[in-house]
Amino acid sequence: MRRRSHRSSLKPEKVKPGKAKDDSRVTIAKTQRTRKTVSITNENLRSFVQSKLDQYKDVDDRFNGIIKILADPGYLQFCYMLIKGKPGNMSKGITNETLDGIKYEWFLEISEEIKTGKIKFKPARRVLIPKPGKIEKRPLWVGAPREKIIQKGLQIILETIYEPKFLDCSYGFRPKRSTHGALKKLHLQAHQFTWVIQGDISKCFDKIPHNIIIKLIQKEIKCDKFLTIIHKTLSAGYIDPITNQPNSPNIGTPQGSVLSPLLANIVLHEMDKYITENIAPKFHLGTRRRGNPEYKKIIYARDPKNPNRTDEGAKIALKLVRKMNRQDPLDPNFRRNMYIRYADDFIFLLEGPLTEAQWIKTEIKEFLYQHTGLELNTEKTIITHLQDGFEFLGAHIKTLKKQDFRMKTKTRTGKIISMRASVRARVDMPTEKIIKKLLELGFLKRNHLNKLLAKPYMKLVNLDHTTILQFFNSKIQGLLNYYTFAGNRVKLFNIIWLLKQSAAKTLARKFKLKSMRHIFTKFGPDLTDPKTDYMLRTPDSLKTIHQYNCETPQYPALQTLEQDWHGRLTTTNIFKICMLCHSPTSIEMHHVRTVKDVRAKMASRTALFAQWIGAVKRKQVPLCQYHYTLYHQGKLLNYELNQISNYTENIKVDI
């Protein structure tokens, strides 16, 4: 084994003279000194917090003193390990400080600040992001990266406390609960209902009052220092991008904060309880519907005990009863309902009259305003008949019209009979919405005959062949991974073919060929890159499988389509080897910070072509995961750093 300087390792925890070391601390420094790999997940960190919480429970079943868990340097290091690889956590706040160069001493210092209550949070950098097809912009708060470590610590503790209390009807931003879980429930049960209330809360994350959040958390947590830190994260505010002045509103959770979705769930949990405990029981009546008098009257013509029965009359009666309900659909003593919420979107399904659905909508609106300070958008909260269909979580759900769908089954005596069966609700992919999104993003266009045609994606033309294919593969795989449940999944063939055409036209522009035919002739049907053998991956079959990945987090397909690579300056790391140990596996590309300056010049159109090429090449330093980690921890030896600085070998940049 190579010897390394002790100065490159994290220092062990220092203990002040006269003070005993706290045994409850997680000794992560030891783990890092012995260079053992530790696999940290949200789940096992919640297990650790759960093991500590019981000792802080008060006589009134509230938690007091849990600030000690948050202030544990080892716990904060685990939180750092969970967020350090997340996209956006290297983005600067209002200062230049990032996660880069963080040392163990920082965890000790921040631990003392948390314990003494001296910790302060900086205002976030506020960025306004355009909304597709709208004039107004969505605000995004970019907080200080190191403060996200503390926010992650708060999130894990609050999640451990509240997760057992959240109801089964809530699916958004919870462990092992995804959009697919909510959609599966609709697929199995939505056919039992007639009306759906599609709830829309006006700017939920932006308008939650801080006093409501603190008041609700105080019901479970008594620790004043812990509550003060939560209040400080909320009141830190942001720097206005127009006036450059600090702004500290008393409403709203910071957009982009890891804590924001959980705080929203805590507030909206009150709505969940109200609906399930007060509204739902009123609309769950009876064990089964009463019989339909008209049905009974007509079916009697087929009864062998009917003295007036005739064969012709029995045939006519059979045709009539197959077109009507056996049970009374307007039975006033039979009601059913179902409620599902995902973050700030919710639906309430009802089997009953429209007037009752309208009353429920009014009740929810009044409760939200009085108890959470939020407003239900009356115009966007609509009541729809399930046969007309509605959209929820990137899917189109509808029930089929009553049809005489029959199936064979066995009775208890073994006799085979034919009986009417209920058809489950269809959960489909919203094809038209996906096409519209591809048109907006520039993958497609319509000609003078309104026919859909693929377009070259010009933002990628200057990237290498494999990177272009990686980009289009990410879009195709995003659609395939999300719509595994879709009843009309076969329609993805058309969308994937259009994306394949767009990829071919992009490559045609890159290599200055005249048409897609020339590209397919040169690179084959999968547009294979001859340098890396990387190809465009398309499915051979798309049969309907109704697969719901309920415990795996799913990213909405439209969100995947919106992800852009226009800021990417790197060439591909496919088939690269580590420049230090020549390992071909787990290759990471070292990013040189000066490339950001070149990107800024490119945006302002002041970059020279030589600067652009230099930026691409300087960024291509392939390191295996082992050496990449050592580099960012400052543990590489001098001769290794010299090798990196002198590295010039790159994949050829196509011009």
Side-chain angles (χ1 to χ4, degrees):
M1 292 181 64
R2 296 185 300 175
R3 296 181 63 188
R4 296 188 176 276
S5 170
H6 291 293
R7 288 177 295 177
S8 65
S9 301
L10 289 175
K11 292 183 179 180
E13 184 177 335
K14 296 180 181 178
V15 184
K16 292 183 179 181
K19 290 190 178 181
K21 184 177 178 179
D22 188 356
D23 293 334
S24 67
R25 293 188 174 184
V26 183
T27 56
I28 189 154
K30 279 185 186 176
T31 307
Q32 294 195 355
R33 289 198 302 275
T34 55
R35 302 186 63 82
K36 291 181 180 178
T37 303
V38 181
S39 178
I40 302 300
T41 64
N42 284 283
E43 187 173 356
N44 56 30
L45 194 52
R46 280 194 298 271
S47 299
F48 165 75
V49 172
Q50 185 64 59
S51 67
K52 299 291 180 184
L53 278 176
D54 289 340
Q55 60 184 303
Y56 296 109
K57 187 169 279 191
D58 215 334
V59 289
D60 56 355
D61 266 355
R62 290 199 296 168
F63 296 98
N64 194 6
I66 56 175
I67 192 67
K68 295 177 183 177
I69 301 176
L70 182 65
D72 184 344
Y75 173 72
L76 291 172
Q77 281 186 297
F78 276 128
C79 294
Y80 160 73
M81 293 169 70
L82 285 174
I83 72 165
K84 66 177 182 178
K86 302 292 183 183
N89 283 342
M90 284 296 290
S91 300
K92 298 176 183 177
I94 60 171
T95 65
N96 291 329
E97 187 180 62
T98 66
L99 296 181
D100 224 12
I102 196 167
K103 297 180 181 179
Y104 184 64
E105 284 75 13
W106 181 87
F107 293 97
L108 294 177
E109 291 170 5
I110 211 70
S111 171
E112 284 300 316
E113 289 184 13
I114 290 173
K115 286 179 183 177
T116 57
K118 295 179 180 179
I119 186 168
K120 295 181 180 180
F121 292 88
K122 301 181 184 71
R125 178 167 59 89
R126 197 171 191 242
V127 182
L128 298 176
I129 302 174
K131 289 185 178 181
K134 295 183 179 179
I135 299 175
E136 63 176 329
K137 296 183 178 181
R138 180 171 64 89
L140 181 67
W141 297 18
V142 183
R146 297 192 182 187
E147 291 179 3
K148 292 181 182 179
I149 299 172
I150 304 165
Q151 292 173 3
K152 185 66 179 178
L154 291 169
Q155 181 211 9
I156 294 292
I157 294 172
L158 288 173
E159 203 171 67
T160 308
I161 293 172
Y162 278 94
E163 186 57 32
K165 300 180 184 297
F166 288 153
L167 303 182
D168 191 53
C169 57
S170 169
Y171 286 86
F173 302 104
R174 293 181 59 190
K176 295 186 177 181
R177 297 177 74 83
S178 68
T179 55
H180 279 204
L183 292 173
K184 184 178 182 180
K185 192 171 184 179
L186 288 170
H187 173 60
L188 296 176
Q189 300 181 30
H191 64 279
Q192 304 171 14
F193 307 97
T194 304
W195 302 100
V196 57
I197 305 170
Q198 299 170 250
D200 186 279
I201 301 173
S202 299
K203 298 181 179 179
C204 174
F205 290 88
D206 296 336
K207 292 189 175 181
I208 301 177
H210 294 173
N211 63 326
I212 296 287
I213 296 173
I214 299 299
K215 183 180 177 181
L216 291 174
I217 294 177
Q218 282 177 334
K219 292 181 179 180
E220 303 294 334
I221 297 173
K222 194 176 181 179
C223 182
D224 290 335
K225 289 185 178 179
F226 191 88
L227 293 168
T228 300
I229 289 180
I230 294 176
H231 187 265
K232 283 182 177 180
T233 62
L234 292 171
S235 58
Y238 61 89
I239 300 296
D240 192 290
I242 300 173
T243 63
N244 204 30
Q245 295 296 318
N247 194 334
S248 300
N250 58 3
I251 61 171
T253 57
Q255 293 289 321
S257 165
V258 294
L259 198 56
S260 183
L262 178 57
L263 295 178
N265 268 343
I266 290 172
V267 174
L268 293 176
H269 175 62
E270 299 300 305
M271 180 179 73
D272 297 344
K273 289 194 298 182
Y274 175 74
I275 291 175
T276 54
E277 294 173 6
N278 295 81
I279 293 180
K282 295 178 182 178
F283 298 94
H284 188 94
L285 306 174
T287 54
R288 59 180 300 173
R289 297 180 189 275
R290 69 184 181 187
N292 187 346
E294 290 295 322
Y295 182 93
K296 291 180 180 179
K297 183 178 178 181
I298 295 173
I299 201 66
Y300 182 65
R302 294 179 52 81
D303 191 343
K305 296 179 181 180
N306 183 0
N308 299 322
R309 183 183 185 278
T310 62
D311 291 342
E312 188 63 29
K315 289 181 181 179
I316 295 172
L318 180 61
K319 290 181 180 180
L320 290 173
V321 295
R322 282 185 171 179
K323 295 179 181 179
M324 63 172 54
N325 293 309
R326 184 173 183 175
Q327 297 171 324
D328 184 5
L330 301 178
D331 183 359
N333 297 317
F334 182 86
R335 294 286 182 270
R336 289 292 184 271
N337 66 82
M338 183 169 70
Y339 166 69
I340 294 175
R341 180 178 65 82
Y342 189 93
D344 57 339
D345 294 326
F346 71 89
I347 54 172
F348 189 96
L349 291 86
L350 175 70
E351 177 55 26
L354 176 60
T355 52
E356 292 180 1
Q358 292 169 337
W359 180 86
I360 292 169
K361 174 183 172 180
T362 304
E363 285 293 301
I364 295 174
K365 178 183 177 182
E366 291 179 359
F367 176 85
L368 266 177
Y369 184 74
Q370 293 176 7
H371 294 85
T372 67
L374 297 171
E375 294 182 10
L376 196 68
N377 191 323
T378 310
E379 293 181 0
K380 293 185 179 180
T381 301
I382 56 176
I383 302 173
T384 311
H385 198 285
L386 274 164
Q387 287 184 9
D388 297 330
F390 67 99
E391 287 195 6
F392 185 59
L393 302 180
H396 186 77
I397 302 104
K398 67 177 295 185
T399 56
L400 302 178
K401 294 181 180 180
K402 300 295 182 182
Q403 296 178 351
D404 186 30
F405 180 79
R406 308 184 75 78
M407 61 180 291
K408 291 184 178 180
T409 186
K410 281 187 178 181
T411 64
R412 291 181 180 179
T413 58
K415 182 181 178 182
I416 298 177
I417 62 171
S418 178
M419 63 179 292
R420 186 181 298 181
S422 296
V423 183
R424 286 178 177 167
R426 285 188 63 92
V427 182
D428 289 340
M429 172 183 64
T431 310
E432 293 181 3
K433 197 169 183 178
I434 294 173
I435 294 292
K436 183 180 178 182
K437 179 59 67 175
L438 291 173
L439 285 166
E440 290 176 1
L441 295 173
F443 292 98
L444 308 178
K445 66 178 180 179
R446 290 190 184 274
N447 64 5
H448 63 286
L449 298 175
N450 205 34
K451 182 180 178 181
L452 277 173
L453 298 174
K455 284 176 59 179
Y457 200 68
M458 297 303 294
K459 295 177 182 179
L460 305 179
V461 168
N462 290 324
L463 299 180
D464 63 285
H465 190 154
T466 294
T467 303
I468 292 172
L469 296 183
Q470 286 176 327
F471 175 83
F472 281 96
N473 273 335
S474 71
K475 307 305 176 188
I476 293 170
Q477 291 304 313
L479 291 168
L480 291 173
N481 292 341
Y482 191 74
Y483 290 114
T484 53
F485 59 80
N488 61 343
R489 188 164 172 255
V490 69
K491 290 188 177 182
L492 271 176
F493 268 129
N494 295 332
I495 295 172
I496 290 172
W497 170 238
L498 288 169
L499 285 171
K500 188 173 185 177
Q501 285 182 309
S502 180
K505 289 187 175 183
T506 304
L507 291 172
R509 288 293 182 93
K510 177 177 181 60
F511 294 105
K512 297 179 173 58
L513 297 177
K514 292 182 179 180
S515 65
M516 287 192 299
R517 179 183 296 178
H518 290 86
I519 283 293
F520 284 119
T521 301
K522 183 174 182 177
F523 298 114
D526 296 322
L527 304 174
T528 306
D529 184 353
K531 297 177 183 177
T532 62
D533 289 334
Y534 190 84
M535 63 181 67
L536 198 70
R537 297 190 295 270
T538 55
D540 297 325
S541 172
L542 282 174
K543 63 181 181 181
T544 302
I545 55 177
H546 296 298
Q547 179 181 325
Y548 292 86
N549 305 311
C550 300
E551 294 189 359
T552 308
Q554 299 293 325
Y555 297 97
L558 295 182
Q559 181 179 323
T560 304
L561 291 176
E562 289 174 351
Q563 290 177 352
D564 208 343
W565 287 15
H566 67 276
R568 179 169 176 167
L569 287 175
T570 64
T571 55
T572 181
N573 61 354
I574 297 284
F575 297 121
K576 281 282 195 176
I577 61 173
C578 176
M579 61 155 297
L580 295 178
C581 66
H582 305 294
S583 169
T585 58
S586 301
I587 299 302
E588 302 278 354
M589 303 308 288
H590 167 51
H591 288 220
V592 181
R593 287 186 177 276
T594 54
V595 174
K596 293 183 178 180
D597 301 330
V598 179
R599 186 183 293 122
K601 289 183 178 180
M602 289 172 62
S604 61
R605 300 182 179 181
T606 59
L608 300 176
F609 180 74
Q611 290 177 319
W612 179 80
I613 290 295
V616 175
K617 289 187 175 181
R618 280 199 303 276
K619 214 172 181 184
Q620 298 310 290
V621 182
L623 298 173
C624 67
Q625 191 172 16
Y626 172 76
H627 284 108
Y628 185 82
T629 304
L630 289 182
Y631 177 86
H632 283 283
Q633 290 178 350
K635 297 179 183 179
L636 287 179
L637 302 178
N638 284 338
Y639 83 91
E640 292 170 331
L641 293 173
N642 288 333
Q643 281 184 275
I644 290 176
S645 64
N646 294 328
Y647 181 77
T648 56
E649 183 182 347
N650 291 282
I651 293 178
K652 181 182 177 184
V653 179
D654 294 305
I655 301 173

